[in-house]
Amino acid sequence: GDDSDGECAVPMVNRFHMPDNGNHMFWYSHNYAGIHMVWLSTEHNFSRGSDMYEWLNKDLSSVDRDVTPWVFLMGHRPMYCSRAADANWVIQLHQREEYEDILYKYGVDIFFTGHYHSYDRTCPVYRNECLSNSGEAMATVHLMVGMAGAGIDPPKWRSDVKWSEYHAVQYGYSRLHVMNSTHISVEYVENSNGNILDEAWIISKHRWHTYSN
């Protein structure tokens, strides 16, 4: 678009400072308590061999799961989302093709995204298949948490996906409780009355990705 008059991201880059282990504020990582947190730009080139792809591969390969057992990934556009929108569906498929294997290889527990002004939680999913073993997650859970921003999206959802476990369009926010190194509680709270619209446990011993190696 032309709304920035050729200065897209210039004020942001010059005013905000992030860890310098990536590409300024576009992709970087840091540890918080027992979590390794990785931030990506889904607006940059994420294809295999790109700068961000290579950086992500290197960053995740260096994670010590004894220090940070949980690994979270954050980005703007979702890799898995059941919203009925053809344009972004193509981008979802492209993301899966290019770097979903990295998420599986290194055991990324949760991928947080937004873009759509709604909520969507998947099962632990890899290559369109829900993967779990006796309640333990064996793949990445994708959480689209865009329901706290601008106007809420219309309730239009795809009917041809099996990995979306809950979706809704009410204004709200998410609560995440890291109980310990193996259990996380996720809640979706409705703004208007405080009701919990969705709640789930993510249980992981952070070893499922080693089965593929």
Side-chain angles (χ1 to χ4, degrees):
D2 58 3
D3 58 330
S4 63
D5 293 322
E7 294 188 348
C8 184
V10 172
M12 180 177 69
V13 168
N14 284 280
R15 291 178 180 176
F16 296 97
H17 301 279
M18 301 302 178
D20 60 358
N21 59 350
N23 180 16
H24 303 289
M25 64 182 310
F26 297 112
W27 57 85
Y28 58 91
S29 67
H30 64 93
N31 293 338
Y32 180 79
I35 308 167
H36 182 69
M37 310 182 76
V38 184
W39 306 79
L40 292 184
S41 169
T42 57
E43 313 308 299
H44 283 73
N45 182 5
F46 50 70
S47 61
R48 297 173 187 267
S50 66
D51 289 346
M52 187 167 64
Y53 178 95
E54 295 298 333
W55 175 86
L56 177 63
N57 189 69
K58 181 179 180 181
D59 180 85
L60 292 177
S61 69
S62 67
V63 176
D64 184 345
R65 300 306 279 259
D66 290 328
V67 177
T68 54
W70 294 101
V71 176
F72 296 170
L73 188 64
M74 274 70 68
H76 178 69
R77 296 177 187 269
M79 181 181 287
Y80 282 91
C81 167
S82 59
R83 289 286 304 159
D86 292 338
N88 195 71
W89 183 254
V90 173
I91 298 174
Q92 289 186 53
L93 296 178
H94 187 40
Q95 288 189 80
R96 295 178 212 170
E97 178 183 354
E98 296 297 337
Y99 69 98
E100 183 180 17
D101 286 347
I102 293 183
L103 275 61
Y104 187 77
K105 178 180 180 180
Y106 295 114
V108 172
D109 295 292
I110 307 176
F111 191 1
F112 295 92
T113 59
H115 189 64
Y116 288 110
H117 301 159
S118 50
Y119 175 89
D120 202 351
R121 176 178 57 81
T122 73
C123 62
V125 58
Y126 175 58
R127 295 184 178 177
N128 287 307
E129 297 292 333
C130 293
L131 301 178
S132 62
N133 182 13
S134 300
E136 181 181 350
M138 306 295 283
T140 304
V141 173
H142 295 255
L143 284 174
M144 188 182 72
V145 287
M147 64 289 186
I152 286 292
D153 290 329
K156 297 180 180 180
W157 307 97
R158 299 182 68 97
S159 60
D160 59 345
V161 299
K162 299 178 180 180
W163 34 256
S164 179
E165 293 200 328
Y166 185 86
H167 49 246
V169 293
Q170 285 88 354
Y171 281 112
Y173 59 93
S174 290
R175 288 196 298 234
L176 193 77
H177 304 279
V178 181
M179 300 301 189
N180 50 44
S181 63
T182 58
H183 288 66
I184 281 180
S185 168
V186 177
E187 296 176 334
Y188 167 25
V189 184
E190 187 174 5
N191 265 1
S192 62
N193 53 28
N195 288 342
I196 297 176
L197 300 180
D198 180 44
E199 54 184 331
W201 284 92
I202 299 175
I203 302 171
S204 178
K205 296 179 181 177
H206 318 290
R207 62 185 182 184
W208 49 264
H209 58 291
T210 63
Y211 300 154
S212 63
N213 295 337

